[in-house]
Amino acid sequence: MAGGAQSLSKLLERATINDHEEILKLCNTSLKQSKNLGTLHAKLVALLNLERYEDALRVLEDGGEELKNGAELENAYTLYRNGQFSEARKVAKGIKDDRGARHMEAQASYRLEDFEQSALVYRGLAETHAPLDDEENDIKINVGAVDAQLEWTRQGHLVHKRKPDREDLEAFETAYNAACASIARGELGQGEVLLKRSRDLCSASGDLSDAEKVAELLPIQVQQLYVLVRLGKTKDAVNLATQITAKDIPDASTQQVAYNNSVSTSKEVQNPYLSHRLVHDTTTLSKSEKLFTIQSNIIKENKFILDLLVSKYAGVIKSTSKILDSNPSPTISSHVNNVSVLNATAHAQFQLGKFGVKHMLPLLEKRPLDVGLAMVVIQLYILTNNHGSAITVMKSLLKHLEASTSPNDQDIRFAPGLVAAVVSLYTLQGRKTQITTELAKAALYWRHKSRPPKSLLQAAGTALLDSDKVDDQAPAREIFSTLHEQDADSKIANAGYVAAHAHTSTSVANEAKGLTPVSRLIAGIDVSALEESGVPQPCLGADAAKAASRKRVLEEKPKPAKKRLRKSRLPKDYDPNKAPDPERWLPFRERSSYRPKGRKGRQKVAGLTQGGVEKGGEAGGGTSGKGGEGVVKAAVGGAAGKAKNKKKSKK
């Protein structure tokens, strides 16, 4: 039997059968008699060609280490197709001097989201000669895909080509990858143009069948829908969404993205329960089809939003709290901060204004380093025009970050986005000094780092140049000198460099490149007209403008006339040596020295004296005085006099 198996293996090596099903049947027939390494290898290749990857993995397990070592590339590819990317990369790295293994290593690194390593391997392949005709084109397409992912993950400094060239417009795959890179950089207009180019090239391709064209066009349309939503072209996005049938998309991960984008096309959800069901009832993805982190995070956040729309507040609080517990604050991760905002929204139950702040402030006391939570509280204060409280919350966050000893917390404290938020708050109240101070502190921190943010340094240098303080000119010169050394072709860096050194050296202007000559800048300017028009006033912030308008209104009102103070008048018989009467403030009749005139007056006073005894009165008597004057006394016992014989009136 062993000899028969060996002869079958040799027969398969010399055979030219293109039907992999037939090869698989022959291998199964031979393996029923006895196991042979060559036959198992042939069966493994047949299963891979038939895309039966789980069966191929079982064949590898049955063959043991001997088969895995004899078919290392097939082993790596099988592991990759079954979603075991780490194991696939490990096996591929162990294969030396094999271009196929290098491709496998780069692709496994790509799926593991190690885009830097993937780009490194692909560039190494591109620098060497490709023995196959189509390999060079495949490398170009894959490098474009890796560059797009580097842009999405904020690693754009590792991308060698940041602008699309003519070669990228020749194939729909390269045009699509260039569009994705432009979208990741925020260049949505350019991305829209490149996607349209990719769509046109795919539709006009003669190498694809009609079914293949439909399969290739669907991902392009899904990406176009995302761009249109981001650009605010809602009508065009709705029209495109009607052309996309998500259930017809063969790739499960692209199908999920399509469902998400279709729900996101309208700004107002007409039926949140239907949208909730549509997004949550999607099929579960396999390991090999899992989404990238940036995709899964967006879909997860959208699911939380739909949960909030259907009033599942407790579930959102529970789910988001787990994510926040596994990612401690502070952080500048957009996903974690978005989840923090959704957690606060669930606690406030979608209430805005003072009611929302009332529910979120206790959370902020528990999580003082939560950047996302602090930002949403600040935004609510801004919506209610309470800029002072917004600045107070921001200062509290900055104070906690500055008190931390962790280097990561200091990077977050001076993160460009957070500094921009602080500057925006100060701008609302016209606090120019605080703006300059904040930018100067951030620039001082980042100048000593390996990759300082250029936009922040440019803003700080410009603010210091505009400052009236002499001490701010020296750091401005240092900042623009650093920017000029890093990029001598930057017009902003050159202009700032010249302006900062204008007071110290006149020869610096000759070192700048690409700047427009002064004679050309001032050509056609009428100096006399400028002098007659006067100096323009700077634009004030909203709060400062309101305060200035109120001040002008108050200044325009006529001031009241001053009142003349009269001299104090003293009585004629005033004796400064004699003590004044202590009862002088009491009415005349209430003073102890008051003596009424006449007998009736004296009797009246005697009857009104508190605690006095009534003369001639008995218990059960009527009233004292005349005509009902005096105090009515309560009767004790029965009624007296004529009241006894009085009949009751009929009702």
Side-chain angles (χ1 to χ4, degrees):
M1 292 296 179
Q6 291 177 2
S7 61
L8 177 62
S9 177
K10 293 179 181 178
L11 178 64
L12 288 173
E13 290 177 0
R14 296 193 302 269
T16 58
I17 304 175
N18 294 323
D19 189 355
H20 300 290
E21 290 284 358
E22 191 67 27
I23 295 175
L24 185 61
K25 288 180 182 179
L26 292 173
C27 292
N28 288 333
T29 302
S30 176
L31 290 172
K32 286 179 182 179
Q33 301 174 1
S34 64
K35 286 187 176 181
N36 177 269
L37 186 62
T39 307
L40 284 173
H41 192 182
K43 181 179 180 179
L44 175 63
V45 174
L47 289 172
L48 291 176
N49 282 292
L50 292 171
E51 298 183 1
R52 293 170 56 178
Y53 304 116
E54 293 182 359
D55 294 337
L57 186 62
R58 281 191 286 271
V59 170
L60 280 170
E61 295 298 330
D62 293 341
E65 294 298 326
E66 187 177 3
L67 177 60
K68 292 178 181 179
N69 294 332
E72 290 181 312
L73 186 58
E74 290 84 350
N75 181 22
Y77 185 73
T78 303
L79 293 171
Y80 171 81
R81 280 297 188 176
N82 282 278
Q84 301 180 27
F85 305 121
S86 298
E87 293 82 354
R89 183 167 69 170
K90 183 178 180 181
V91 173
K93 277 187 174 181
I95 305 174
K96 306 298 182 183
D97 300 329
D98 191 309
R99 291 184 67 85
R102 300 288 75 74
H103 278 278
M104 192 71 260
E105 179 188 354
Q107 196 64 22
S109 300
Y110 180 81
R111 293 298 295 156
L112 287 170
E113 301 189 26
D114 187 359
F115 303 118
E116 183 178 359
Q117 177 64 21
S118 180
L120 186 65
V121 175
Y122 274 129
R123 290 193 180 101
L125 288 170
E127 291 173 357
T128 57
H129 176 68
L132 301 177
D133 295 336
D134 296 336
E135 185 182 359
E136 184 177 353
N137 187 45
D138 291 342
I139 292 174
K140 187 185 299 182
I141 294 172
N142 291 339
V143 167
V146 174
D147 287 346
Q149 292 291 354
L150 287 171
E151 295 284 2
W152 279 115
T153 53
R154 302 179 186 276
Q155 302 179 75
H157 59 280
L158 299 174
V159 177
H160 288 186
K161 186 175 68 174
R162 297 181 64 87
K163 291 184 179 180
D165 52 20
R166 186 176 295 274
E167 292 182 355
D168 295 327
L169 304 178
E170 294 177 354
F172 75 90
E173 298 98 331
T174 53
Y176 177 79
N177 289 334
C180 292
S182 299
I183 296 167
R185 289 191 295 269
E187 301 168 357
L188 299 177
Q190 181 172 278
E192 184 183 15
V193 173
L194 290 170
L195 284 174
K196 187 177 183 303
R197 174 66 177 174
S198 175
R199 186 176 178 177
D200 294 342
L201 288 172
C202 183
S203 301
S205 176
D207 299 332
L208 301 175
S209 64
D210 292 341
E212 290 174 338
K213 286 182 181 179
V214 172
E216 294 290 349
L217 283 172
L218 282 171
I220 300 174
Q221 290 175 323
V222 170
Q223 195 72 357
Q224 280 184 308
L225 183 61
Y226 171 77
V227 173
L228 291 174
V229 172
R230 287 282 306 276
L231 288 172
K233 298 181 179 180
T234 308
K235 187 178 293 185
D236 295 338
V238 172
N239 293 335
L240 181 60
T242 57
Q243 303 174 19
I244 300 174
T245 307
K247 63 180 180 180
D248 294 339
I249 299 176
D251 184 58
S253 58
T254 307
Q255 189 181 81
Q256 275 202 3
V257 174
Y259 278 123
N260 176 79
N261 290 357
S262 64
V263 173
S264 304
T265 51
S266 58
K267 293 183 179 179
E268 296 182 1
V269 181
Q270 301 295 335
N271 189 342
Y273 297 94
L274 183 60
S275 301
H276 183 275
R277 179 181 176 183
L278 181 66
V279 173
H280 282 76
D281 287 353
T282 52
T283 56
T284 304
L285 299 178
S286 63
K287 291 182 179 180
S288 60
E289 296 173 328
K290 70 173 185 176
L291 296 167
F292 289 103
T293 301
I294 187 170
Q295 294 173 319
S296 62
N297 286 344
I298 292 174
I299 292 178
K300 192 181 298 182
E301 292 166 14
N302 287 345
K303 287 182 178 180
F304 286 148
I305 293 172
L306 290 172
D307 288 341
L308 291 173
L309 290 174
V310 296
S311 302
K312 293 187 175 183
Y313 302 121
V316 173
I317 291 173
K318 183 178 180 181
S319 301
T320 53
S321 296
K322 289 181 180 179
I323 297 175
L324 294 176
D325 292 340
S326 59
N327 297 276
S329 297
T331 179
I332 55 174
S333 168
S334 58
H335 173 61
V336 176
N337 287 324
N338 289 341
V339 168
S340 177
V341 172
L342 295 171
N343 179 271
T345 306
H347 277 93
Q349 297 186 359
F350 261 134
Q351 293 182 355
L352 299 176
K354 296 180 180 179
F355 298 100
V357 173
K358 181 180 178 182
H359 288 87
M360 293 181 188
L361 285 178
L363 295 176
L364 191 59
E365 292 179 0
K366 295 178 182 179
R367 309 200 303 260
L369 291 173
D370 193 330
V371 178
L373 180 58
M375 289 298 108
V376 73
V377 173
I378 290 170
Q379 184 64 27
L380 290 179
Y381 276 133
I382 293 295
L383 292 175
T384 56
N385 291 326
N386 193 348
H387 301 160
S389 298
I391 291 177
T392 301
V393 174
M394 178 62 79
K395 286 183 176 179
S396 176
L397 173 64
L398 299 180
K399 183 178 179 181
H400 283 95
L401 290 173
E402 290 172 354
S404 176
T405 57
S406 172
N408 181 53
D409 293 356
Q410 296 305 310
D411 288 348
I412 296 172
R413 162 62 184 89
F414 295 106
L418 191 58
V419 173
V422 177
V423 171
S424 298
L425 288 174
Y426 285 147
T427 304
L428 288 174
Q429 295 193 332
R431 303 186 182 183
K432 291 187 176 181
T433 305
Q434 286 85 345
I435 292 173
T436 305
T437 304
E438 178 65 25
L439 290 172
K441 288 169 62 177
L444 180 63
Y445 177 80
W446 286 110
R447 273 169 49 204
H448 303 290
K449 299 292 182 177
S450 57
R451 290 199 312 271
K454 292 183 179 180
S455 59
L456 192 148
L457 292 181
Q458 290 171 1
T462 304
L464 290 170
L465 277 178
D466 293 340
S467 176
D468 297 332
K469 298 181 180 178
V470 180
D471 297 338
D472 293 338
Q473 301 304 312
R477 284 193 293 271
E478 294 177 4
I479 291 172
F480 279 112
S481 297
T482 303
L483 292 172
H484 180 68
E485 291 175 1
Q486 292 177 353
D487 187 4
D489 297 328
S490 173
K491 290 186 177 181
I492 298 177
N494 288 333
Y497 181 72
V498 172
H501 291 82
H503 298 290
T504 58
S505 176
T506 56
S507 61
V508 176
N510 299 326
E511 302 178 16
K513 299 178 181 178
L515 294 181
T516 307
V518 178
S519 58
R520 185 178 174 184
L521 289 173
I522 63 175
I525 296 178
D526 191 348
V527 179
S528 301
L530 286 176
E531 291 181 350
E532 292 177 0
S533 61
V535 180
Q537 296 295 325
C539 181
L540 298 175
D543 289 353
K546 289 181 180 179
S549 62
R550 287 196 298 266
K551 185 177 180 182
R552 284 194 297 269
V553 171
L554 291 175
E555 289 177 351
E556 291 172 1
K557 288 183 178 180
K559 296 181 179 179
K562 294 183 179 180
K563 293 183 179 180
R564 183 172 58 86
L565 297 177
R566 296 182 179 180
K567 295 182 179 179
S568 59
R569 289 190 253 178
L570 298 174
K572 295 179 180 180
D573 57 348
Y574 174 72
D575 185 1
N577 298 323
K578 185 179 178 181
D581 184 7
E583 296 181 353
R584 66 185 182 278
W585 306 115
L586 296 176
F588 190 67
R589 293 184 179 183
E590 295 180 9
R591 298 183 189 181
S592 60
S593 60
Y594 173 65
R595 295 293 182 268
K597 297 180 181 180
R599 190 178 69 171
K600 291 183 179 181
R602 288 193 295 272
Q603 288 178 353
K604 185 178 179 181
V605 173
L608 292 175
T609 305
Q610 186 177 4
V613 180
E614 183 180 1
K615 295 181 181 180
E618 295 179 356
T623 61
S624 64
K626 182 181 179 181
E629 296 177 357
V631 180
V632 179
K633 296 188 173 72
V636 180
K642 296 181 180 180
K644 230 183 245 187
N645 301 324
K646 192 174 182 180
K647 294 182 180 180
K648 295 182 179 179
S649 62
K650 293 182 180 180
K651 295 183 179 178

